[in-house]
Amino acid sequence: MTSAVLYDDVSSAMASTPPRPPKQPLHISISEQLKDHIEAGQYEPGEKLPSEFDLGGAFGVSRTTIRRAIANLMKQGLVTTQQGKGSFVSDRHKISFSMANPLMQFDIALKHQGYVGRIQSLRFQHTHPPIDVMKKLELRDGDPPVYLQEKIIYADESPIAIEVDYFPDAIGERLSEQLASRFTYSTLETQGIKLHAAKVSLESIPASYELSEQLLVPLGMPLLVFNFVAYQEKRIPVVCGKVLSRSDWTCYTSHIEI
Amino acid sequence: MTSAVLYDDVSSAMASTPPRPPKQPLHISISEQLKDHIEAGQYEPGEKLPSEFDLGGAFGVSRTTIRRAIANLMKQGLVTTQQGKGSFVSDRHKISFSMANPLMQFDIALKHQGYVGRIQSLRFQHTHPPIDVMKKLELRDGDPPVYLQEKIIYADESPIAIEVDYFPDAIGERLSEQLASRFTYSTLETQGIKLHAAKVSLESIPASYELSEQLLVPLGMPLLVFNFVAYQEKRIPVVCGKVLSRSDWTCYTSHIEI
DNA sequence: TAGTGGTCTAGACCACACG
DNA sequence: GTGTGGTCTAGACCACTAC
């Protein structure tokens, strides 16, 4: 009884939204109301929401249900939470990368858009690649192993992407020193390796637990996956790999002539 | 005590994975163990997991914690749940679309990959567009309103994408009949409108509540967003809009010559 | 009818941030 | 220490599926 009255009071006090169909679960109804408030600008980007305890009181529901509503908003990228501090409305504008320059002058694009780009090498190994990489680099069973490099790309101290590259033996050998600290494209450039063509694809996946820890995002947050194989002249593969980037920070653009 | 013993017993019985660092929350530890089992093929795609009750017993935790672990797997797109039936390991391979044909012969790509493509019109309106659309179509304040069309794209009865298109007044008028039932590209083609260039961008967003209901995905599931402006000769904008597609069904590919 | 997942409650304890 | 979010429990009731 009391809670029903409270709920009605609050819902009219908090929002002038029309009542939603009652078939919706409570946590959805609440997260949608909060979403409306956020999008109406009643909470500014960066602003703190009321505490879970207070929201529970305001909506007349248990803290568990409020937590679920806030989890809904997190899944949609609308809020973030910080233990001991509170829940905050998300902000942020996207950095765009051109698909036309594959292997991509990430560093240049970052600088142009006002960020300091930096990479941190996670692994650099001489190993036997999985079959799909063998195929992309056009290698045969007897060929020597490839160089694998894995690194994190930072924009202003925020990790925004993980890049995994595979280089054929001959090329990786020449680059091993530079690859550890420089962006892939600029490394190739200083070695006089010019790219002539590329096959690329873009998809999106939810962050696994491991990726969510490396990129500091919630489990399941969308990541953009940029897959590429780059060729030098005569269609010789130079490098293949993928860039997994935070979708809240990045997008890819292209101009097409038909 | 008891639960700790049970947990150890089960974890050695269920998995031979090395013990994970104890700082991890229980629900993460459990979902990661289940993930390992799934990826090791101990549960086939489509196979049913044990019930939440049984898993709770097996791991020695409450049903709530098991539900949270399963929610983690859902966020990662690894399992789906069906009320009254159970939890099932996900399957599925992706349909790829070429970025080179913007506005894109979705229907042709679908047919080539063995699916029956179909669209369902949600809206067709003559309205005043938001400013970003005005800009993309190069319209001025005094210009007549545009045609807005919104539709769902199906592959074999599964909704895989939502397309939102804006057409300039002159063009929308000619197309209104066909647009309701046909794919955009094929409609333009039959009207003799040839596309000469396009600006496109790709990003990814988590599904909002509304989108999650339209595309039958869980809240927050990654969606690919393909934004486009297409031009006919003389750089005249013909249409702009976006395609929001299920990332578990779709990816975009392109060949690039540098 | 029995089994399953979906929602919600009430309450406990922990870990972190801030004054 | 107080307040905040993070984790976990035990148990209730509902809605859907299958037999």
Side-chain angles (χ1 to χ4, degrees), chain A residues 152-255:
Chain A
I152 302 184
I153 296 174
Y154 291 85
D156 285 354
E157 309 308 312
S158 298
I160 60 165
I162 289 182
E163 182 174 342
V164 183
D165 294 337
Y166 291 91
F167 299 90
D169 183 68
I171 292 184
E173 211 162 8
R174 288 161 60 187
L175 305 182
S176 48
E177 244 181 66
Q178 292 201 16
L179 281 175
S181 61
R182 304 189 61 154
F183 284 82
T184 306
Y185 184 90
S186 86
T187 300
L188 292 173
E189 202 176 36
T190 61
Q191 288 290 320
I193 298 175
K194 282 259 189 292
L195 303 180
H196 280 231
K199 280 193 273 190
V200 309
S201 74
L202 264 166
E203 56 182 337
S204 180
I205 58 167
S208 67
Y209 177 67
E210 188 185 4
L211 288 168
S212 72
E213 292 215 312
Q214 292 175 314
L215 293 174
L216 306 180
V217 295
L219 187 65
M221 156 98 11
L223 301 179
L224 274 169
V225 185
F226 183 80
N227 300 287
F228 57 86
V229 190
Y231 304 88
Q232 52 185 330
E233 46 191 355
K234 294 179 191 164
R235 214 82 190 165
I236 300 171
V238 179
V239 53
C240 77
K242 57 186 167 187
V243 179
L244 301 121
S245 64
R246 286 181 58 157
S247 63
D248 56 346
W249 273 87
T250 55
C251 71
Y252 289 86
T253 62
S254 179
H255 288 224

Side-chain angles (χ1 to χ4, degrees), chain A residues 25-27 60-65 68 83-85:
Chain A
L26 255 180
H27 66 269
V61 299
S62 73
R63 189 179 153 223
T64 310
T65 302
R68 206 153 161 199
Q83 189 174 67
K85 300 182 75 173

Side-chain angles (χ1 to χ4, degrees), chain A residues 4-159:
Chain A
V5 172
L6 258 175
Y7 176 83
D8 283 335
D9 283 344
V10 168
S11 87
S12 55
M14 297 277 294
S16 45
T17 55
R20 295 173 184 277
K23 286 310 290 177
Q24 268 179 147
L26 255 180
H27 66 269
I28 292 283
S29 161
I30 291 173
S31 63
E32 287 292 294
Q33 286 181 53
L34 289 171
K35 180 182 175 180
D36 289 344
H37 294 156
I38 290 169
E39 291 180 343
Q42 292 173 38
Y43 295 111
E44 299 291 323
E47 191 175 339
K48 185 179 169 303
L49 295 182
S51 75
E52 295 174 349
F53 182 83
D54 289 347
L55 284 172
F59 284 97
V61 299
S62 73
R63 189 179 153 223
T64 310
T65 302
I66 289 294
R67 279 184 63 70
R68 206 153 161 199
I70 290 180
N72 292 341
L73 299 175
M74 266 195 292
K75 288 182 202 170
Q76 296 172 71
L78 293 169
V79 308
T80 59
T81 58
Q82 289 176 256
Q83 189 174 67
K85 300 182 75 173
S87 305
F88 302 86
V89 178
S90 309
D91 194 0
R92 196 152 298 129
H93 48 293
K94 292 189 179 182
I95 305 172
S96 65
F97 297 105
S98 168
M99 280 184 276
N101 292 322
L103 250 261
M104 22 207 129
Q105 304 140 336
F106 259 126
D107 46 352
I108 295 175
L110 285 172
K111 192 181 291 177
H112 278 177
Q113 289 168 74
Y115 294 92
V116 177
R118 185 172 61 84
I119 69 160
Q120 177 198 341
S121 188
L122 293 177
R123 285 199 289 172
F124 186 70
Q125 295 173 1
H126 203 208
T127 87
H128 285 280
I131 34 165
D132 62 307
V133 171
M134 295 278 288
K135 219 164 142 187
K136 285 175 181 168
L137 293 181
E138 297 166 16
L139 300 176
R140 290 156 175 264
D141 275 350
D143 288 331
V146 300
Y147 284 89
L148 155 66
Q149 192 197 19
E150 198 174 325
K151 58 194 173 201
I152 302 184
I153 296 174
Y154 291 85
D156 285 354
E157 309 308 312
S158 298

